[in-house]
Amino acid sequence: MEKMIARVGETPNNVEEGGVLAPSTVVPLNLEVHWRLWLQMARAGQPGLEELRALRDDALSFGHVSLPEHALAVLAVARERETYGLSAADAEALVQMAMTMAPQLPYPALELARLRIIETPTAPHRAIAPLVEGVRRGAHWLDSKTSWTLKLCLLFLTSALVSFGAFMLAQLLRYFGVAAYDGARMLPRGFSSNQTVIVLVALVIVPGLVLRSPLMSMLIMLALVIPFQRLNERAVSAAFLALILALPSLDSALSHHVLYPGSPAQELSHTHQQFCDTDCLQRAETTLKQGASPVETYAAAVALFRTGQPAAMARIVELGAGESSQSPLRLRAQWENLIGAALATQGNPEEALRHFERAAELMPNAAAPVFNQMRALQLAGDVESGYDALDQAVRHDLAMVSRYLDTSRRDANSLLIIMMLSADQIWSVHKDHASTQPAVSLISPIWTALAGPMVPLSRAPFLAGFGLLWLLMTLQLPRSNRVSSPCPKCGLARDPEDADRLGGHHYCLPCYQTFVSGATLDYHARVHSETSLGRRDRFQSFLRRALSLLLPGTGHTLGGHAIRGTLAFGLLSFGALWWLYPMGLWRVATELFDDRWGGQLALATVMIALGALMGLFGCFRGIEPTRVSPSAKREDA
């Protein structure tokens, strides 16, 4: 704080007579000179931090809020530091400079995290702060937010589809025999077990063949086994059905993300968060004349402010008088801060202070209006009160305050902080524009390939809704012992009507008579039962181990541990897809950097390892199947 106060006092304000801020003397040639000098220094093996700092300060004075292209070039040099003869410390300093040159860009912060992990593997905690900062920036910058959202959503949907297939395979092996046994009991007399199996197979396969829909067959199979499922298996089934229910809404949301690259909202975001050239200023004037949305009007007013011209400042004060009172809370605070900044540049700090104070009241956690209060107090000659305001601004946002105190120039753009539009505000503009454009569906082609041409995506909520309703209607069947359950010993059906003869035991009747009350059978019958049932028991154990090895988590699902098994296989499939396709299954046009940023391969490896470890654990230790709870009569006894 003392160093910041010293910097405030050492740097004189660029003020003309009457307290009016002088216009900036920076021209585009200054930026080109600094950049070419740095390129020469980089080729000579020098980091050139002073030249980059001068480039950043002059760019800010000229109205360049961010320099993403320059920051990415600096980042590329830092990555290839051996080629340029730079040390590890120089590379880290360059990456940190790139972070300040493009405050909204997430890649420098993510690269800093990667550098710290590589250079100091014994202190991985040093990478946590830049990693969190990179993710925070990426979530707030729409270019990376849209691309990351598309990538992660597509990977998630693909892994969910694969997990649903593995879950249904385990449910088929676990419950199809039980369903055939209960079906034989429910069908009229004369139907054998084999005939019941044929009926069930036809019931599952024929609709899928007629509709040319493999997904329909899987959903019919799910509906067939739902009555026999326990609570944890029903929870997994409900999760998959809920995902199918949300597919149309998710497809609409992803369509907005697909339409964002090249949209008017992206152009607004770039010009607002980086620089507004002559063509941009002409569009801003057109926007103000035609009466656009409040967000676009504010962006046009900010573009006028960056020119630093007295006429533009007077225009902003005139516009703000009508806009600030009718805007939402956040936009009202932004307008109050912008009007105060325009008044301060006109040499009216006392009037500007009232607007800064109103902005600080509307947004108590924002640093910009408090920092601007300090500048207005400084222009008015009240230095002591300015120090108090500086202290409060530092508490809100140290990085922003430090950046504006580090600049050597004192003009409208570098002296005062303008509150930028948030990602949500720009996204609202994009949604308004996207509502007039044809939707782009990413899910419909995959859905059509799985569900067939006769079952469009618009029918997905009806199918999922019927499945959820069926799940609720059959909820009491297993709890009231009205349906059979798989025997944990042999895997055959445990008839609920045998509960009285079993005393509520979780084995089926043959296993109970053989392994629990074997004295009721003669010797030869017991030996025969132990041989046949023991063979089935060993086969069930082998099947669970083999599936756990081949499809980690599926063996747990086969044993009745559905939530644990599905999560394990979901992690494995998501991690494997992320590892194989780090840039996504479909390359997004706004993705700027390569696949090494952020350590995403490390995260994918961790997911794969977690799923594989659970599979290996189940393979070598075995998986104990779940057991049916005792009947109500058994509990009363």
Side-chain angles (χ1 to χ4, degrees):
M1 187 65 192
E2 293 178 354
K3 292 181 179 179
M4 288 186 176
I5 292 175
R7 265 181 278 170
V8 171
E10 290 172 358
T11 307
N13 295 317
N14 189 14
V15 180
E16 294 180 335
E17 294 182 3
V20 179
L21 288 180
S24 175
T25 59
V26 177
V27 295
L29 182 60
N30 295 57
L31 309 183
E32 186 68 21
V33 169
H34 289 308
W35 183 242
R36 289 182 179 275
L37 286 175
W38 178 79
L39 289 176
Q40 292 180 4
M41 297 180 70
R43 295 189 187 100
Q46 301 178 20
L49 297 177
E50 293 300 325
E51 288 299 329
L52 291 177
R53 188 174 292 107
L55 170 66
R56 181 199 63 187
D57 294 350
D58 284 359
L60 184 62
S61 180
F62 188 56
H64 285 272
V65 183
S66 178
L67 300 170
E69 296 87 357
H70 298 78
L72 289 175
V74 172
L75 206 56
V77 172
R79 284 196 163 190
E80 304 296 333
R81 63 180 181 85
E82 294 86 356
T83 304
Y84 292 92
L86 299 173
S87 64
D90 292 336
E92 184 169 333
L94 285 175
V95 173
Q96 290 176 336
M97 179 58 67
M99 291 177 61
T100 64
M101 294 173 67
Q104 88 281 12
L105 198 66
Y107 305 107
L110 297 172
E111 177 65 18
L112 181 59
R114 192 182 73 91
L115 277 178
R116 289 182 174 178
I117 291 177
I118 293 175
E119 299 299 334
T120 56
T122 57
H125 61 277
R126 298 181 63 242
I128 295 177
L131 179 61
V132 172
E133 174 65 15
V135 174
R136 185 195 66 80
R137 291 186 178 191
H140 287 83
W141 188 41
L142 285 178
D143 281 29
S144 57
K145 183 179 181 179
T146 54
S147 61
W148 291 3
T149 301
L150 283 170
K151 175 171 67 174
L152 294 178
C153 282
L154 291 178
L155 290 178
F156 170 75
L157 290 175
T158 306
S159 63
L161 175 63
V162 176
S163 300
F164 181 59
F167 174 74
M168 287 308 303
L169 173 63
Q171 293 292 285
L172 174 65
L173 296 174
R174 178 174 171 82
Y175 285 118
F176 188 79
V178 178
Y181 179 81
D182 275 16
R185 290 194 304 148
M186 296 173 59
L187 290 175
R189 291 186 178 182
F191 275 87
S192 65
S193 299
N194 293 334
Q195 291 172 330
T196 305
V197 170
I198 294 174
V199 170
L200 292 180
V201 171
L203 181 64
V204 171
I205 294 179
V206 170
L209 293 176
V210 172
L211 298 175
R212 291 178 291 172
S213 174
L215 182 62
M216 186 61 67
S217 294
M218 293 184 68
L219 291 178
I220 295 175
M221 173 59 67
L222 181 62
L224 188 66
V225 301
I226 275 179
F228 308 96
Q229 290 180 334
R230 301 302 164 181
L231 286 179
N232 61 346
E233 296 166 326
R234 287 172 179 266
V236 176
S237 299
F240 285 122
L241 290 173
L243 181 60
I244 295 176
L245 181 69
L247 281 180
S249 300
L250 184 60
D251 188 43
S252 177
L254 292 180
S255 174
H256 290 162
H257 287 74
V258 175
L259 292 173
Y260 180 75
S263 66
Q266 188 188 45
E267 185 178 7
L268 171 66
S269 174
H270 288 177
T271 57
H272 182 67
Q273 296 179 347
Q274 297 175 29
F275 175 66
C276 192
D277 56 12
T278 304
D279 294 337
C280 172
L281 288 173
Q282 293 177 355
R283 289 193 300 269
E285 289 290 347
T286 304
T287 298
L288 294 176
K289 292 178 181 178
Q290 294 178 350
S293 66
V295 174
E296 292 174 307
T297 302
Y298 177 78
V302 171
L304 292 178
F305 179 85
R306 288 177 182 161
T307 62
Q309 300 300 321
M313 303 304 170
R315 181 85 180 279
I316 290 171
V317 175
E318 180 183 352
L319 285 171
E323 292 287 342
S324 60
S325 59
Q326 303 175 2
S327 303
L329 179 63
R330 180 181 179 87
L331 192 56
R332 198 186 316 160
Q334 292 167 327
W335 268 113
E336 293 289 348
N337 182 74
L338 181 60
I339 295 171
L343 290 170
T345 60
Q346 290 178 324
N348 193 354
E350 292 81 7
E351 182 67 21
L353 273 172
R354 288 194 285 271
H355 289 278
F356 292 144
E357 290 171 358
R358 282 199 290 267
E361 290 175 0
L362 293 172
M363 292 189 66
N365 296 324
V370 183
F371 180 87
N372 292 339
Q373 285 182 43
M374 183 269 294
R375 289 302 192 198
L377 291 168
Q378 186 183 15
L379 292 172
D382 191 353
V383 179
E384 294 299 328
S385 299
Y387 291 155
D388 295 336
L390 176 61
D391 180 45
Q392 186 177 356
V394 168
R395 298 177 188 275
H396 289 324
D397 194 335
L398 176 61
M400 179 184 292
V401 172
S402 300
R403 185 186 183 211
Y404 276 79
L405 287 180
D406 281 341
T407 56
S408 57
R409 294 184 177 274
R410 289 294 177 263
D411 45 44
N413 289 308
S414 57
L415 182 73
L416 300 163
I417 301 178
I418 302 303
M419 297 173 66
M420 308 299 294
L421 291 172
S422 64
D424 294 336
Q425 292 173 308
I426 298 177
W427 190 253
S428 66
V429 176
H430 173 62
K431 291 177 68 174
D432 294 338
H433 287 291
S435 61
T436 63
Q437 301 294 324
V440 178
S441 178
L442 292 179
I443 299 178
S444 290
I446 303 175
W447 174 269
T448 303
L450 294 175
M454 302 177 66
V455 186
L457 182 60
S458 59
R459 301 287 178 85
F462 299 100
L463 295 175
F466 176 78
L468 291 172
L469 181 62
W470 176 245
L471 190 146
L472 292 175
M473 290 173 58
T474 59
L475 187 61
Q476 289 296 325
L477 293 180
R479 296 174 63 87
S480 58
N481 287 325
R482 295 181 182 177
V483 292
S484 300
S485 58
C487 174
K489 186 71 173 175
C490 64
L492 296 175
R494 176 189 178 273
D495 196 326
E497 295 181 358
D498 294 334
D500 295 338
R501 303 171 64 184
L502 299 176
H505 204 276
H506 47 263
Y507 282 175
C508 63
L509 181 60
C511 289
Y512 178 81
Q513 292 176 339
T514 303
F515 301 105
V516 179
S517 59
T520 58
L521 298 176
D522 62 67
Y523 176 76
H524 295 287
R526 188 166 64 252
V527 169
H528 176 74
S529 295
E530 286 180 354
T531 302
S532 59
L533 295 176
R535 187 183 301 114
R536 287 195 58 85
D537 182 24
R538 291 189 297 272
F539 176 75
Q540 291 290 321
S541 177
F542 167 77
L543 188 60
R544 290 192 294 270
R545 289 172 181 263
L547 283 178
S548 187
L549 179 63
L550 298 176
L551 302 173
T554 310
H556 290 81
T557 305
L558 180 60
H561 310 282
I563 296 179
R564 188 192 315 171
T566 305
L567 285 177
F569 188 76
L571 278 176
L572 177 66
S573 57
F574 186 89
L577 288 171
W578 201 2
W579 197 88
L580 291 173
Y581 304 99
M583 299 306 292
L585 299 172
W586 176 68
R587 181 65 187 269
V588 183
T590 55
E591 193 71 70
L592 295 178
F593 229 53
D594 58 34
D595 56 3
R596 294 182 293 173
W597 57 261
Q600 55 180 348
L601 292 182
L603 296 176
T605 304
V606 170
M607 293 181 180
I608 296 173
L610 290 175
L613 285 176
M614 179 169 287
L616 293 175
F617 180 83
C619 178
F620 291 103
R621 290 288 300 273
I623 301 171
E624 188 68 21
T626 57
R627 300 178 178 183
V628 64
S629 59
S631 64
K633 183 175 181 180
R634 177 64 178 174
E635 290 177 350
D636 296 339

